[in-house]
Amino acid sequence: MDTYNVKCHCGNIRAKLTRQKDLPLVVWECNCSDCNMRRNLHFMVPARDFWLVEPASGGIHAVNDDEMEEDPQHQDQSLDEGEGTTSTEPDMAFLRGTSAAKRHYQNNTVLYQWGTKTAIRRFCKTCGILPFYVPRSNPDGLGVTFPCVDWEGKGEGEGSTAKRMPKVEMRKFDGVHWEESHKATGIAEQTNVDAD
């Protein structure tokens, strides 16, 4: 498993994910009204392989990805263990990370939901970028915006970009005909940890 940094444009919203670098990465291009307007290219990550972190200084500034906070012993805290959180935030209990990272995420993003209100999208309040979200198609995982991942950064024992960048397979998801595409593409299986 390799660890990758995820961030919005200004660097205020940050997370980490792990994945097997030798496995191909399926990146989805969706044509639903939201993804189409943003030209969203995203891939799915099981919730267990993703956690929030906060900028090293706790504020907005351009930092190197190796400055990002990582506290593995607190990665599995649920929101109930954190302070200053509410039960009206459906994604907050789902996300892993320290209570400080969760508070930072909640306080520095704006929630946007529409339609079925199943997908949980939190955009950075500063730069407006959506680096990851809980998608309707995969409520047991996260959709991570492909360009928001530092594929070239320092990995544990990794050297070159070629070794870090996964082989990418682009697939289309017909968000205009969501139900049919959800059944036909098998996208839901990408976060099903029981299938591992």
Side-chain angles (χ1 to χ4, degrees):
M1 297 294 270
D2 208 353
T3 301
Y4 296 89
N5 297 316
V6 182
K7 65 182 178 181
C8 65
H9 187 261
C10 71
N12 198 27
I13 305 305
R14 294 175 173 261
K16 289 187 180 249
L17 66 89
T18 58
R19 69 176 308 276
Q20 280 190 270
K21 65 179 178 183
D22 55 333
L23 293 179
L25 181 68
V26 176
V27 176
W28 296 92
E29 181 179 5
C30 178
N31 67 344
C32 77
S33 60
D34 177 60
C35 288
N36 192 45
M37 283 185 156
R38 291 184 293 108
R39 304 306 302 155
N40 186 29
L41 298 174
H42 58 281
F43 61 96
M44 302 303 166
V45 175
R48 71 174 186 201
D49 298 334
F50 188 94
W51 64 98
L52 296 171
V53 295
E54 60 182 319
S57 70
I60 302 170
H61 70 293
V63 297
N64 296 325
D65 289 318
D66 57 351
E67 292 179 26
M68 288 174 58
E69 169 193 317
E70 183 174 7
D71 189 356
Q73 67 182 8
H74 294 104
Q75 289 176 12
D76 291 319
Q77 285 184 338
S78 69
L79 185 64
D80 300 338
E81 297 170 14
E83 301 170 16
T85 55
T86 65
S87 61
T88 60
E89 306 291 344
D91 58 328
M92 296 307 295
F94 175 78
L95 291 170
R96 297 176 351 155
T98 65
S99 58
K102 289 180 181 185
R103 276 194 309 277
H104 180 84
Y105 175 68
Q106 186 176 27
N107 293 334
N108 290 281
T109 57
V110 60
L111 177 65
Y112 175 66
Q113 292 183 289
W114 61 276
T116 64
K117 297 193 183 336
T118 305
I120 302 167
R121 297 172 185 86
R122 288 180 166 274
F123 293 83
C124 174
K125 286 182 179 178
T126 303
C127 66
I129 297 297
L130 175 73
F132 51 86
Y133 67 105
V134 179
R136 178 181 172 198
S137 62
N138 297 67
D140 59 345
L142 291 110
V144 178
T145 304
F146 182 72
C148 291
V149 177
D150 179 14
W151 299 109
E152 299 178 19
K154 297 177 186 172
E156 287 96 60
E158 296 302 319
S160 73
T161 302
K163 289 184 179 178
R164 300 236 337 128
M165 176 63 82
K167 179 179 178 184
V168 174
E169 176 187 339
M170 295 294 299
R171 291 190 192 169
K172 301 255 185 206
F173 186 87
D174 186 1
V176 173
H177 303 98
W178 194 93
E179 287 78 11
E180 294 88 351
S181 191
H182 187 256
K183 289 177 188 172
T185 62
I187 193 170
E189 295 303 313
Q190 292 192 318
T191 53
N192 183 352
V193 294
D194 294 332
D196 289 349

